[in-house]
Amino acid sequence: PPYHSAIFIDEVQDFSPAEILLLTLLAAPLHNSVTAVGDPGQRLRPQAIAIDSAIPRFLWRTAHVERLETNVRQQNVPALRD
C-alpha cells in the first residue's frame, strides 16, 4: 500500500481498534509516525473502548504518551444567563 510519513487520527475515541489498526498500517515503517488525539469524555459510540486499549500494541513500544488534564478552551468562559 502507499505509505505516509505521518498519520494523524483525531477523535480517536470514536474509532474501533480495527479502524485504528488499518490507519496505523498506512504509516511508513521507517517513520511509524502516528499521532492519535482523543477525549474519552466525548464518545459518540456508547460501545467505544478505552483509548489506551484501542492503540495497537506494536505502537506502544515506542510511543510517547502525553495526557492533557486541563481544558484551556473552557477557562474564563462567561456563564450563560437565563
Side-chain angles (χ1 to χ4, degrees):
Y3 291 115
H4 302 278
S5 60
I7 301 292
F8 184 86
I9 307 171
D10 193 14
E11 304 294 347
V12 72
Q13 74 276 1
D14 294 324
F15 287 81
S16 72
E19 292 168 325
I20 294 169
L21 176 60
L22 288 173
L23 288 169
T24 58
L25 291 175
L26 293 174
L30 177 63
H31 304 290
N32 204 18
S33 178
V34 177
T35 300
V37 179
D39 181 352
Q42 296 184 2
R43 293 182 181 161
L44 293 178
R45 300 179 187 175
Q47 72 276 18
I49 64 171
I51 293 172
D52 293 354
S53 61
I55 306 299
R57 292 213 178 272
F58 72 89
L59 288 177
W60 279 117
R61 289 194 303 260
T62 58
H64 171 79
V65 177
E66 188 72 39
R67 298 197 187 278
L68 305 177
E69 304 295 334
T70 304
N71 184 345
V72 295
R73 291 187 295 173
Q74 298 299 320
Q75 292 179 351
N76 300 319
V77 176
L80 297 176
R81 297 183 188 176
D82 291 333

